[in-house]
Amino acid sequence: MSSEVAGLLQLLALIAALALAYRPLGDYMAKVYSSKKHLRVEKWIYKAIGANPDTEMRWMAYLRGVLAFSAVSVLFLYLLQRLQGSLPGSLGFKSIDPDQAFNTAASFVSNTNWQSYYGEQAMGHVVQTGGLAVQNFVSAAVGIAVAVALVRGFARSRTGELGNFWADLVRGTVRILVPIAVIGAIVLVACGAIQNFAGIHEVGQFMGGHQQWNGGAVASQEAIKELGTNGGGYFNANSAHPFENPNPLSNLFEIFLILLIPFALTRTFGKMVGNVKQGYAILATMVGIWLAFTALMLWTEFSGHGPAFQAAGGAMEGKETRFGIAGSAIFSVATTLTSTGAVNSFHSSNTGFGGGINLLGMQLGEIAPGGVGSGLYGMLIMAIIAVFIAGLMVGRTPEYLGKKIGTREIKFAACYILVTPALVLGFTAASMALSTPPHSMLNSGAHGFSEVLYAFTSGANNNGSAFAGLNADTQWYNTTIGLAMLLGRFLPMVFVLALAGSLAEQKPIPASAGTLRTEKPLFTGLLIGTILIITGLTYFPALALGPLAEGLAS
């Protein structure tokens, strides 16, 4: 069987698995966030944190809950790392330096999981499980909660109430993320991933000699890092490491976990607004972009030029032989079109155009299907922009899901779109202009520029993957990427929740003969065109200086 055919079979199996899970999981999540009942364990949590889950919140109160919880999480995780040297289970590792502790705390709380350290050489069991793994759950739950608040803004009328943040946070964690992650961890252990709290020990090497290695609760963290579109690896090699991702079956299962909730949330959206066809339209947009990017990535990685490419059957540099080109290409597209950041190959080793595809996937806003929660609310923002553009073309006030898109709403949507590019391009320009620090870039020219552009694109879009070749463990990059991650996560949430509150206050507008049918294929095409045009106008000059220049020169 050829590698191309094997890749096609993997893709078809993945699509079939996602299709089977789409409806039951989407319906279940809609019930979770619409239910008035509280589980016993949830009541204990509410009592412990002093929250009343039945109190409705307007958008400002909901936002305060998001920001307060996230600020406490950053502080807790920062202190946990700074005190690591005094904690049990530290495996003898020292406390993390201040700039790196800030970067890591910002990274995991913002659902980015950018890592400027070697996981197996820096973090002990307590920090890994009690700090990083916990944030993998709750940061994902925060993203889903904000998306659900926006959906309620469309579904409700003549009220500014968006639900209760604390109830949404706890339910997302207890009823959705924990059960699926437990099942995922069991599957990964069955595939060969490790799960223990072993200390540092010596292991024999294939070519002779020994090296030191430590175990850890790897399978459980691997499951939630993919399910919650987090991406931080227990080991520096991330999902290319055999302890995290042992074989092609586990590789395909991890891709499934990455895409599972973001795709299923479109069904949740359709159920909660009372029109599942609207969810299908958003799903079709996501699937169309994802399939197109996957096909392009497979094509460019299999069709590399030169004797080395031909001898290996494609661009095998930087890829694990147990996954091959297809398994690596599908994984890389899944992780950069979501906010996952996990890698099973070096993205820096992709062909010039392949690296550009990964970059563009993040620059779209990671909305196809995007991160858990963030993908859905990002796509709904784009849908509002598309409806606005259509309204301008026909000369009538735009409407979406029975809500009028006026000046106030379009300002919130426009601010959402502008935040991330401003962070990416601003920090990239500053780094290149200042050459700070001077020896961080291991490559010069177009590829070196791509490394810096990729780093800030990954940070501001809360992805977390790296291009490699850039030494980011410096005060400059730890600080600036940390700021990009926090601002790129929470500033857009401000505009999302403000938009949700504005929509919830409106009264529904009945559909008329002039209303744009947003559940039809025509709107799906308009939405895809809007996404590509906005991204192209924003990032094309930067892409032309980096991956496009490199690809055309090769």
Side-chain angles (χ1 to χ4, degrees):
M1 183 186 299
S2 67
S3 299
E4 291 87 346
V5 173
L8 179 60
L9 292 177
Q10 289 182 55
L11 187 58
L12 291 176
L14 178 62
I15 293 171
L18 291 169
L20 288 173
Y22 174 76
R23 183 166 182 170
L25 180 58
D27 290 349
Y28 172 71
M29 290 192 291
K31 291 178 181 178
V32 165
Y33 290 107
S34 302
S35 174
K36 299 296 183 182
K37 296 181 179 180
H38 309 295
L39 301 180
R40 181 176 297 179
V41 66
E42 294 172 349
K43 292 178 181 178
W44 294 341
I45 297 173
Y46 299 140
K47 186 175 182 180
I49 63 177
N52 182 356
D54 297 315
T55 301
E56 288 283 338
M57 294 178 172
R58 298 180 70 85
W59 79 268
M60 282 293 292
Y62 203 101
L63 176 63
R64 285 195 296 270
V66 171
L67 297 180
F69 176 76
S70 301
V72 171
S73 297
V74 170
L75 180 61
F76 171 78
L77 189 53
Y78 175 83
L79 292 176
L80 196 65
Q81 294 175 82
R82 295 290 293 135
L83 296 173
Q84 176 176 247
S86 304
L87 296 174
S90 64
L91 301 178
F93 297 138
K94 65 177 183 178
S95 297
I96 308 301
D97 293 335
D99 58 305
Q100 192 173 77
F102 163 72
N103 181 276
T104 304
S107 177
F108 278 77
V109 173
S110 64
N111 199 243
T112 309
N113 294 37
W114 169 273
Q115 294 172 289
S116 62
Y117 59 89
Y118 295 94
E120 66 270 36
Q121 299 177 22
M123 303 293 184
H125 292 321
V126 173
V127 175
Q128 288 275 20
T129 57
L132 306 184
V134 168
Q135 286 305 315
N136 283 345
F137 281 98
V138 295
S139 65
V142 168
I144 302 176
V146 173
V148 168
L150 179 58
V151 173
R152 291 193 185 113
F154 285 110
R156 296 181 177 183
S157 60
R158 298 177 182 177
T159 176
E161 296 172 344
L162 301 175
N164 185 287
F165 167 70
W166 303 107
D168 292 339
L169 172 69
V170 172
R171 288 182 178 187
T173 304
V174 173
R175 301 193 197 184
I176 299 171
L177 296 172
V178 169
I180 302 176
V182 169
I183 297 171
I186 293 172
V187 173
L188 289 175
V189 169
C191 289
I194 67 170
Q195 180 76 10
N196 57 55
F197 287 100
I200 297 176
H201 55 280
E202 287 192 348
V203 295
Q205 294 179 321
F206 181 74
M207 299 298 292
H210 296 82
Q211 72 179 98
Q212 289 187 330
W213 211 260
N214 57 282
V218 176
S220 56
Q221 188 155 320
E222 189 76 9
I224 186 56
K225 96 173 189 187
E226 311 295 18
L227 179 68
T229 60
N230 298 283
Y234 208 99
F235 300 101
N236 182 56
N238 207 277
S239 294
H241 198 289
F243 287 175
E244 293 192 21
N245 192 1
N247 52 54
L249 179 60
S250 66
N251 188 65
L252 194 62
F253 180 67
E254 289 185 16
I255 301 172
F256 169 77
L257 288 178
I258 291 171
L259 300 173
L260 178 62
I261 292 179
F263 275 135
L265 275 173
T266 61
R267 173 77 180 185
T268 304
F269 161 67
K271 294 287 288 187
M272 291 184 71
V273 298
N275 189 339
V276 293
K277 290 184 179 179
Q278 296 289 347
Y280 288 141
I282 298 298
L283 174 67
T285 305
M286 291 178 172
V287 171
I289 296 173
W290 171 61
L291 287 177
F293 271 61
T294 302
L296 285 172
M297 179 63 80
L298 288 169
W299 169 76
T300 190
E301 292 300 296
F302 274 117
S303 61
H305 301 292
F309 288 98
Q310 294 172 2
M316 275 300 295
E317 179 192 349
K319 297 180 176 65
E320 279 291 326
T321 55
R322 65 183 187 276
F323 305 139
I325 291 175
S328 301
I330 297 171
F331 195 105
S332 71
V333 171
T335 196
T336 49
L337 278 176
T338 64
S339 64
T340 310
V343 294
N344 72 348
S345 63
F346 273 126
H347 291 181
S348 183
S349 295
N350 288 342
T351 62
F353 290 132
I357 291 169
N358 285 330
L359 257 174
L360 184 60
M362 292 187 291
Q363 291 168 348
L364 290 181
E366 296 177 323
I367 52 178
V372 285
S374 61
L376 178 61
Y377 64 66
M379 183 61 80
L380 291 178
I381 294 290
M382 284 295 185
I384 288 172
I385 298 294
V387 167
F388 178 74
I389 292 173
L392 291 178
M393 290 191 291
V394 299
R396 65 172 276 130
T397 302
E399 304 164 13
Y400 186 55
L401 298 177
K403 298 297 178 71
K404 187 175 293 186
I405 308 302
T407 304
R408 186 182 183 191
E409 289 76 21
I410 204 63
K411 284 180 179 178
F412 289 141
C415 288
Y416 175 93
I417 289 175
L418 292 173
V419 166
T420 305
L423 292 171
V424 172
L425 299 177
F427 279 123
T428 299
S431 297
M432 297 301 296
L434 299 175
S435 298
T436 306
H439 303 297
S440 284
M441 292 170 54
L442 302 183
N443 296 284
S444 59
H447 194 81
F449 174 77
S450 294
E451 291 170 357
V452 177
L453 177 63
Y454 193 105
F456 286 108
T457 300
S458 178
N461 283 281
N462 303 133
N463 182 273
S465 64
F467 220 39
L470 177 72
N471 176 22
D473 186 14
T474 64
Q475 287 188 352
W476 169 262
Y477 283 112
N478 278 331
T479 303
T480 54
I481 294 176
L483 290 173
M485 290 186 290
L486 289 175
L487 295 173
R489 173 71 164 179
F490 296 109
L491 276 181
M493 285 184 175
V494 173
F495 301 118
V496 170
L497 291 172
L499 175 62
S502 179
L503 293 171
E505 291 173 351
Q506 294 186 28
K507 62 180 180 180
I509 302 172
S512 65
T515 300
L516 176 65
R517 300 293 296 275
T518 54
E519 77 280 9
K520 297 294 185 180
L522 178 63
F523 178 72
T524 298
L526 174 64
L527 182 52
I528 292 175
T530 300
I531 293 167
L532 295 177
I533 289 171
I534 289 175
T535 304
L537 291 174
T538 304
Y539 288 109
F540 182 78
L543 291 172
L545 292 173
L548 289 178
E550 183 182 359
L552 292 172
S554 62

